PDB file of all heavy atoms in Angstrom:
ATOM      1  N   THR A   2     -10.708 -64.394  86.150  1.00 35.00           N
ATOM      2  CA  THR A   2      -9.241 -64.059  85.869  1.00 35.00           C
ATOM      3  C   THR A   2      -9.001 -62.892  84.915  1.00 35.00           C
ATOM      4  O   THR A   2      -9.884 -62.641  84.149  1.00 35.00           O
ATOM      5  CB  THR A   2      -8.524 -65.360  85.293  1.00 35.00           C
ATOM      6  OG1 THR A   2      -7.099 -64.940  85.060  1.00 35.00           O
ATOM      7  CG2 THR A   2      -9.102 -65.710  84.021  1.00 35.00           C
ATOM      8  N   SER A  25     -28.469 -57.029  50.369  1.00 92.00           N
ATOM      9  CA  SER A  25     -29.508 -56.973  49.587  1.00 92.00           C
ATOM     10  C   SER A  25     -29.266 -57.044  48.033  1.00 92.00           C
ATOM     11  O   SER A  25     -30.104 -57.429  47.221  1.00 92.00           O
ATOM     12  CB  SER A  25     -30.350 -55.846  49.818  1.00 92.00           C
ATOM     13  OG  SER A  25     -29.760 -54.532  49.563  1.00 92.00           O
ATOM     14  N   PHE A  27     -26.129 -58.075  44.930  1.00 97.00           N
ATOM     15  CA  PHE A  27     -24.944 -58.943  44.589  1.00 97.00           C
ATOM     16  C   PHE A  27     -23.689 -58.017  44.417  1.00 97.00           C
ATOM     17  O   PHE A  27     -23.783 -57.011  43.691  1.00 97.00           O
ATOM     18  CB  PHE A  27     -25.313 -59.645  43.387  1.00 97.00           C
ATOM     19  CG  PHE A  27     -24.104 -60.430  42.804  1.00 97.00           C
ATOM     20  CD1 PHE A  27     -23.777 -61.652  43.532  1.00 97.00           C
ATOM     21  CD2 PHE A  27     -23.328 -60.103  41.836  1.00 97.00           C
ATOM     22  CE1 PHE A  27     -22.666 -62.366  43.080  1.00 97.00           C
ATOM     23  CE2 PHE A  27     -22.217 -60.763  41.411  1.00 97.00           C
ATOM     24  CZ  PHE A  27     -21.871 -61.972  41.986  1.00 97.00           C
ATOM     25  N   LYS A  47      -6.216 -64.739  59.004  1.00 98.00           N
ATOM     26  CA  LYS A  47      -7.156 -65.464  58.193  1.00 98.00           C
ATOM     27  C   LYS A  47      -8.193 -64.648  57.613  1.00 98.00           C
ATOM     28  O   LYS A  47      -8.583 -63.640  58.151  1.00 98.00           O
ATOM     29  CB  LYS A  47      -7.829 -66.665  58.935  1.00 98.00           C
ATOM     30  CG  LYS A  47      -7.071 -67.651  59.570  1.00 98.00           C
ATOM     31  CD  LYS A  47      -7.790 -68.769  60.317  1.00 98.00           C
ATOM     32  CE  LYS A  47      -6.886 -69.796  60.836  1.00 98.00           C
ATOM     33  NZ  LYS A  47      -7.723 -70.908  61.507  1.00 98.00           N
ATOM     34  N   ASP A  79      -4.139 -67.275  55.736  1.00 98.00           N
ATOM     35  CA  ASP A  79      -4.889 -68.527  55.392  1.00 98.00           C
ATOM     36  C   ASP A  79      -6.201 -68.091  54.784  1.00 98.00           C
ATOM     37  O   ASP A  79      -6.921 -67.319  55.508  1.00 98.00           O
ATOM     38  CB  ASP A  79      -5.100 -69.357  56.707  1.00 98.00           C
ATOM     39  CG  ASP A  79      -3.884 -70.176  57.066  1.00 98.00           C
ATOM     40  OD1 ASP A  79      -3.000 -70.310  56.194  1.00 98.00           O
ATOM     41  OD2 ASP A  79      -3.728 -70.590  58.173  1.00 98.00           O
ATOM     42  N   PRO A  85     -20.855 -76.518  53.084  1.00 94.00           N
ATOM     43  CA  PRO A  85     -21.920 -77.090  53.791  1.00 94.00           C
ATOM     44  C   PRO A  85     -22.146 -78.661  53.526  1.00 94.00           C
ATOM     45  O   PRO A  85     -22.968 -79.254  54.286  1.00 94.00           O
ATOM     46  CB  PRO A  85     -23.126 -76.367  53.053  1.00 94.00           C
ATOM     47  CG  PRO A  85     -22.596 -76.074  51.752  1.00 94.00           C
ATOM     48  CD  PRO A  85     -21.184 -75.798  51.898  1.00 94.00           C
ATOM     49  N   ALA A  95     -10.757 -78.338  45.053  1.00 98.00           N
ATOM     50  CA  ALA A  95     -10.214 -77.940  43.617  1.00 98.00           C
ATOM     51  C   ALA A  95      -9.682 -76.589  43.511  1.00 98.00           C
ATOM     52  O   ALA A  95      -8.809 -76.270  42.630  1.00 98.00           O
ATOM     53  CB  ALA A  95     -11.371 -78.134  42.730  1.00 98.00           C
ATOM     54  N   SER A 137      -5.340 -84.619  52.353  1.00 96.00           N
ATOM     55  CA  SER A 137      -5.009 -83.210  51.923  1.00 96.00           C
ATOM     56  C   SER A 137      -4.337 -82.420  53.008  1.00 96.00           C
ATOM     57  O   SER A 137      -4.280 -82.859  54.274  1.00 96.00           O
ATOM     58  CB  SER A 137      -6.251 -82.557  51.542  1.00 96.00           C
ATOM     59  OG  SER A 137      -7.155 -82.147  52.680  1.00 96.00           O
ATOM     60  N   ARG A 161     -24.290 -79.437  76.411  1.00 94.00           N
ATOM     61  CA  ARG A 161     -24.650 -79.733  75.033  1.00 94.00           C
ATOM     62  C   ARG A 161     -23.491 -79.274  74.079  1.00 94.00           C
ATOM     63  O   ARG A 161     -23.134 -80.070  73.216  1.00 94.00           O
ATOM     64  CB  ARG A 161     -25.940 -78.877  74.743  1.00 94.00           C
ATOM     65  CG  ARG A 161     -26.250 -78.870  73.342  1.00 94.00           C
ATOM     66  CD  ARG A 161     -26.931 -80.211  72.812  1.00 94.00           C
ATOM     67  NE  ARG A 161     -27.484 -79.973  71.546  1.00 94.00           N
ATOM     68  CZ  ARG A 161     -27.990 -81.036  70.660  1.00 94.00           C
ATOM     69  NH1 ARG A 161     -27.790 -82.291  71.184  1.00 94.00           N
ATOM     70  NH2 ARG A 161     -28.431 -80.758  69.559  1.00 94.00           N
ATOM     71  N   ALA A 171     -13.808 -86.226  67.758  1.00 97.00           N
ATOM     72  CA  ALA A 171     -13.739 -87.709  67.511  1.00 97.00           C
ATOM     73  C   ALA A 171     -13.760 -87.924  66.037  1.00 97.00           C
ATOM     74  O   ALA A 171     -13.195 -88.905  65.545  1.00 97.00           O
ATOM     75  CB  ALA A 171     -14.883 -88.415  68.238  1.00 97.00           C
ATOM     76  N   VAL A 174     -12.088 -83.248  63.343  1.00 98.00           N
ATOM     77  CA  VAL A 174     -12.130 -81.880  63.238  1.00 98.00           C
ATOM     78  C   VAL A 174     -10.892 -81.413  64.071  1.00 98.00           C
ATOM     79  O   VAL A 174     -10.619 -81.879  65.082  1.00 98.00           O
ATOM     80  CB  VAL A 174     -13.494 -81.252  63.765  1.00 98.00           C
ATOM     81  CG1 VAL A 174     -13.325 -79.809  63.937  1.00 98.00           C
ATOM     82  CG2 VAL A 174     -14.486 -81.514  62.679  1.00 98.00           C
ATOM     83  N   GLN A 227      -9.406 -62.707  78.204  1.00 97.00           N
ATOM     84  CA  GLN A 227      -8.997 -62.756  79.682  1.00 97.00           C
ATOM     85  C   GLN A 227      -9.080 -64.185  80.067  1.00 97.00           C
ATOM     86  O   GLN A 227      -8.365 -64.539  81.136  1.00 97.00           O
ATOM     87  CB  GLN A 227      -9.785 -61.868  80.471  1.00 97.00           C
ATOM     88  CG  GLN A 227      -9.606 -60.483  80.287  1.00 97.00           C
ATOM     89  CD  GLN A 227     -10.570 -59.478  81.038  1.00 97.00           C
ATOM     90  OE1 GLN A 227     -11.778 -59.780  81.199  1.00 97.00           O
ATOM     91  NE2 GLN A 227     -10.079 -58.289  81.329  1.00 97.00           N
ATOM     92  N   MET A 265      -4.936 -51.507  74.118  1.00 96.00           N
ATOM     93  CA  MET A 265      -4.575 -52.229  75.364  1.00 96.00           C
ATOM     94  C   MET A 265      -3.135 -52.722  75.373  1.00 96.00           C
ATOM     95  O   MET A 265      -2.667 -53.169  76.407  1.00 96.00           O
ATOM     96  CB  MET A 265      -5.565 -53.353  75.685  1.00 96.00           C
ATOM     97  CG  MET A 265      -7.039 -53.009  75.910  1.00 96.00           C
ATOM     98  SD  MET A 265      -8.076 -54.485  75.778  1.00 96.00           S
ATOM     99  CE  MET A 265      -7.248 -55.511  77.107  1.00 96.00           C
ATOM    100  N   VAL A 271      -1.993 -56.727  62.961  1.00 98.00           N
ATOM    101  CA  VAL A 271      -2.713 -56.182  61.996  1.00 98.00           C
ATOM    102  C   VAL A 271      -2.360 -54.687  61.836  1.00 98.00           C
ATOM    103  O   VAL A 271      -2.179 -53.966  62.955  1.00 98.00           O
ATOM    104  CB  VAL A 271      -4.264 -56.211  62.276  1.00 98.00           C
ATOM    105  CG1 VAL A 271      -5.063 -55.527  61.242  1.00 98.00           C
ATOM    106  CG2 VAL A 271      -4.745 -57.680  62.304  1.00 98.00           C
ATOM    107  N   GLN A 294     -17.429 -48.464  64.249  1.00 96.00           N
ATOM    108  CA  GLN A 294     -17.300 -47.169  64.931  1.00 96.00           C
ATOM    109  C   GLN A 294     -15.928 -46.354  64.620  1.00 96.00           C
ATOM    110  O   GLN A 294     -15.834 -45.244  64.334  1.00 96.00           O
ATOM    111  CB  GLN A 294     -17.399 -47.207  66.429  1.00 96.00           C
ATOM    112  CG  GLN A 294     -18.749 -47.723  66.870  1.00 96.00           C
ATOM    113  CD  GLN A 294     -19.903 -46.716  66.559  1.00 96.00           C
ATOM    114  OE1 GLN A 294     -19.794 -45.548  66.888  1.00 96.00           O
ATOM    115  NE2 GLN A 294     -20.868 -47.175  65.815  1.00 96.00           N
TER     116      GLN A 294
END
Side-chain angles (χ1 to χ4, degrees):
T2 180
S25 60
F27 176 78
K47 295 183 180 183
D79 286 339
S137 72
R161 167 77 170 169
V174 167
Q227 291 172 333
M265 292 169 57
V271 178
Q294 297 298 307

